Amino acid sequence: MRRERAKAGISLSELAKRAGIAKSTLSQLEAATGNPGIETLWALAVALGVPFSVLVESPAPAVTVIRAGEGPTMHAEQASYAGTLLSAGPSGVRRDIYHGALEPGSVRESEPHIPGSMEHLVVSTGRLLAGPRDETVELSAGDYMSYRGDVAHLYEALEPGTTFVLVMQHS
């Protein structure tokens, strides 16, 4: 977090203000003593103008295998949503791949990502309502859709055990 803030050339106070979080929370995160939810990390990524994965990725070996149920998983604070980062875009390529799992009963609302973002979504199991807030589409297993990620959008499971692959592409 501190590295990206330094690259952006902004103060701790300014980043906290831009992301809409407390300065003390940001200070804890930079000291690696905080445990942020996905919403906090997204807000920080948008405020820094970087893909979300930049804040959570680890260096990858030459061959990577992530078994089902393993990998760096983030949980939403306000929905029963879990996203596992499968692959962060390499240097010069701005795309990330996630495996998502969502249960009925809550909606994962996502604020706009950095300008020029696109999302590509493939449903693996179950049924999902997804897309920009005013253009949601119901998808079933095997269905694909793409939409702008730089507008408010949402994901809502319509069946238990709904899973999907999400590719985030950043301009």
Side-chain angles (χ1 to χ4, degrees):
M1 188 76 60
R2 184 175 289 126
R3 176 191 72 224
E4 292 304 320
R5 182 173 60 79
K7 276 188 198 176
I10 58 177
S11 69
L12 190 78
S13 297
E14 180 61 22
L15 178 56
K17 180 181 170 185
R18 288 182 189 181
I21 65 171
K23 182 178 173 183
S24 60
T25 300
L26 181 55
S27 181
Q28 288 176 338
L29 295 177
E30 285 195 357
T33 59
N35 187 18
I38 198 169
E39 290 86 354
T40 299
L41 290 173
W42 278 119
L44 288 165
V46 169
L48 289 165
V50 300
F52 174 77
S53 63
V54 167
L55 301 183
V56 298
E57 70 185 336
S58 299
V63 174
T64 302
V65 175
I66 299 175
R67 303 280 181 207
E70 297 179 357
T73 301
M74 290 72 58
H75 298 273
E77 296 168 352
Q78 300 171 359
S80 88
Y81 171 83
T84 302
L85 179 63
L86 300 177
S87 173
S91 181
V93 175
R94 295 175 55 125
R95 70 96 186 108
D96 305 319
I97 304 172
Y98 295 88
H99 180 265
L102 189 60
E103 294 298 325
S106 61
V107 177
R108 167 69 180 120
E109 298 204 31
S110 184
E111 294 302 317
H113 305 312
I114 59 178
S117 296
M118 288 289 296
E119 293 196 0
H120 303 269
L121 182 67
V122 179
V123 176
S124 304
T125 60
R127 289 185 311 120
L128 185 70
L129 184 67
R133 286 187 183 149
D134 58 348
E135 298 180 68
T136 57
V137 175
E138 186 176 318
L139 303 168
S140 297
D143 290 347
Y144 161 84
M145 77 178 293
S146 65
Y147 50 90
R148 291 180 51 196
D150 58 2
V151 298
H153 51 283
L154 61 86
Y155 317 93
E156 180 179 2
L158 302 176
E159 289 181 6
T162 296
T163 61
F164 52 93
V165 174
L166 175 66
V167 176
M168 297 186 70
Q169 170 185 317
H170 309 286
S171 299

